[in-house]
Amino acid sequence: MPKLTENEFYCVSTRKKVKVKSEDMCVVVLKNGAPALYAKCPKTNTEMYKFIKHKDEDRLTKKFGSC
């Protein structure tokens, strides 16, 4: 699968790439300490997560906010 851009997520319900508006995304830290981008699929309302690197966490938190 090709690499996803910052505003693209993979929806497991539709099995397709989905573009999400930046105001609907946020940064969350999972239980294991890994940072991830979080959004809901606009079509199916399924929760979607995308892991991000620790070094990018601060930059993306400033851009999208935290949950």
Side-chain angles (χ1 to χ4, degrees):
M1 187 166 127
K3 194 169 188 176
L4 300 171
T5 62
E6 211 169 67
N7 289 353
E8 287 182 334
F9 285 81
Y10 179 77
C11 180
V12 294
S13 295
T14 60
R15 296 183 182 178
K16 295 185 181 193
K17 288 193 290 186
V18 178
K19 289 198 180 216
V20 179
K21 296 178 186 175
S22 57
E23 58 265 9
D24 296 334
M25 297 168 48
C26 61
V27 176
V28 65
V29 177
L30 303 175
K31 286 182 182 179
N32 64 357
L37 284 174
Y38 167 81
K40 285 196 173 190
C41 179
K43 295 176 184 174
T44 62
N45 210 27
T46 303
E47 293 182 343
M48 300 180 294
Y49 294 91
K50 183 167 54 172
F51 291 109
I52 57 175
K53 296 178 182 177
H54 284 282
K55 67 179 184 177
D56 295 333
E57 182 179 1
D58 290 334
R59 178 181 62 86
L60 293 173
T61 303
K62 289 178 185 174
K63 186 173 183 179
F64 300 119
S66 62
C67 296

